[in-house]
Amino acid sequence: MDLYAVFGHPVGHSLSPRIHRMFAEETAQQIEYERREPPLDGFADALRAFREEGGHGANVTVPFKEEAWSLADQRSERAERAGAVNTLVCGETLYGDNTDGEGLINDLRNNLGVGLAGKRILIVGAGGAARGVLGPLLAEQPASLVIANRTAGRAKVLAKAFDDIGNIEGRGLDTLAGERFEVVINATSSGLEGEVPALPESVVSDGATAYDMLYGAEPTPFLRWAERNGAFRVRDGLGMLVEQAAGAFELWRHIRPSTEPVIETLRHDTR
Ligand code: ATR
């Protein structure tokens, strides 16, 4: 059986093993999928050991995505831009890709029926989670993409790194009063502390789609806030997680699994 693993720290709660086992069952692929939790300074060693064991491919999650990027011998263009790798294909050389943006876009388009072409999009946050999806978001050709961050400087630097591929602007959260968007994506980690970014209600009040990259058994604080303030539709990041996994699975096994039954099963089990 071909060996795969997810590397993260912590990784104990990762749903990736379940997701990939469901994909494998559905597509009749013989794979083994494990969790690996190297010490914070031990990712390179753990990855080397995994390849020596015959590991075929890996998913990489927080906090190792940037290190995976530097360890890869070759990278896809989208990984190159993202500065982070979430999927490794282990062969003679180590190939790094990033399926996070594809996962977000597929969840929005295929599962929610929300296309991004011509839309006014707001992405909140300017850390690794935001950076990982900006290239694919711009490739959808939105009318405009605003990155807003608590620390305005980070948003500006990030926008500059992508402004050759689309209409993108970096701002502080405090510059958004009165502005309306059609799609608002929360890429901050604020929900982990039970907080909501300090946004004016206008950003969702015109019937926006509000999307949180985080997910949990309960609606996230951002999604509760968006619902109270007039969002038309709210959705957490569980679908993105499954869709990015499908992208990785396809890279490894050259077969595309169906995501809908997996999302439904996980949704059911986390409630
Ligand atoms: P990640 O890889 O998850 O993006 P990160 O690089 O640490 O992690 O970035 C976290 C993001 O969440 C940042 O955009 C951060 O804003 P700052 O750059 O101003 O720190 C944002 N963030 C975290 N907690 C927040 C809060 N309570 N309100 C608003 N933004 C928050």
Side-chain angles (χ1 to χ4, degrees), residues 6 11 13-20 22-23 33 35 59-62 65 86-87 99-108 111 133 211-216 235-249 252 256-257 259-260 262-263 266-267 270:
V6 55
V11 83
H13 294 291
S14 170
L15 291 172
S16 293
R18 263 196 88 189
I19 294 170
H20 284 283
M22 284 191 260
F23 287 164
Y33 192 106
R35 290 187 179 88
N59 285 132
V60 183
T61 186
V62 179
K65 290 184 186 185
N86 80 335
T87 304
T99 62
D100 283 335
E102 168 195 328
L104 171 65
I105 287 158
N106 282 346
D107 192 34
L108 282 164
N111 306 327
V133 300
Y211 193 96
D212 200 331
M213 288 198 198
L214 296 178
Y215 60 86
R235 189 62 64 106
D236 71 14
L238 184 69
M240 174 179 171
L241 177 79
V242 175
E243 296 291 344
Q244 66 74 32
F249 192 88
W252 296 330
R256 182 93 192 165
T259 49
E260 207 183 312
V262 176
I263 296 172
L266 295 177
R267 186 76 71 199
T270 54

Side-chain angles (χ1 to χ4, degrees), residues 83-263:
V85 155
N86 80 335
T87 304
L88 287 165
V89 183
C90 310
E92 288 284 295
T93 57
L94 187 63
Y95 178 74
D97 198 355
N98 191 318
T99 62
D100 283 335
E102 168 195 328
L104 171 65
I105 287 158
N106 282 346
D107 192 34
L108 282 164
R109 184 179 43 219
N110 304 344
N111 306 327
L112 265 78
V114 176
L116 300 177
K119 299 274 170 64
R120 280 177 50 76
I121 303 177
L122 173 65
I123 180 151
V124 187
R131 184 179 182 114
V133 300
L134 290 180
L137 281 180
L138 285 170
E140 295 297 298
Q141 303 198 308
S144 63
L145 178 56
V146 173
I147 313 173
N149 196 43
R150 183 173 59 183
T151 312
R154 281 185 92 187
K156 288 181 183 159
V157 168
L158 196 51
K160 192 98 197 74
F162 287 85
D163 68 1
D164 57 323
I165 49 173
N167 181 4
I168 183 167
E169 191 192 350
R171 316 244 297 258
L173 289 180
D174 53 2
T175 68
L176 296 169
E179 294 196 41
R180 293 163 192 274
F181 296 86
E182 290 160 284
V183 180
V184 181
I185 300 163
N186 182 25
T188 74
S189 50
S190 59
L192 299 175
E193 293 116 48
E195 289 177 10
V196 181
L199 291 162
E201 62 184 58
S202 65
V203 301
V204 292
S205 65
D206 209 12
T209 295
Y211 193 96
D212 200 331
M213 288 198 198
L214 296 178
Y215 60 86
E218 303 291 327
T220 67
F222 167 71
L223 295 180
R224 281 202 299 267
W225 172 88
E227 202 152 43
R228 271 200 315 277
N229 288 292
F232 171 64
R233 196 174 7 219
V234 301
R235 189 62 64 106
D236 71 14
L238 184 69
M240 174 179 171
L241 177 79
V242 175
E243 296 291 344
Q244 66 74 32
F249 192 88
E250 190 175 7
L251 268 173
W252 296 330
R253 309 301 303 182
H254 310 292
I255 181 166
R256 182 93 192 165
S258 331
T259 49
E260 207 183 312
V262 176
I263 296 172

Side-chain angles (χ1 to χ4, degrees), residues 3-7 17 21 32-36 50 53:
L3 176 64
Y4 298 87
V6 55
F7 288 80
R21 284 177 204 140
E32 212 173 317
Y33 192 106
E34 299 176 354
R35 290 187 179 88
R36 302 271 166 119
F50 175 72
E53 279 170 55

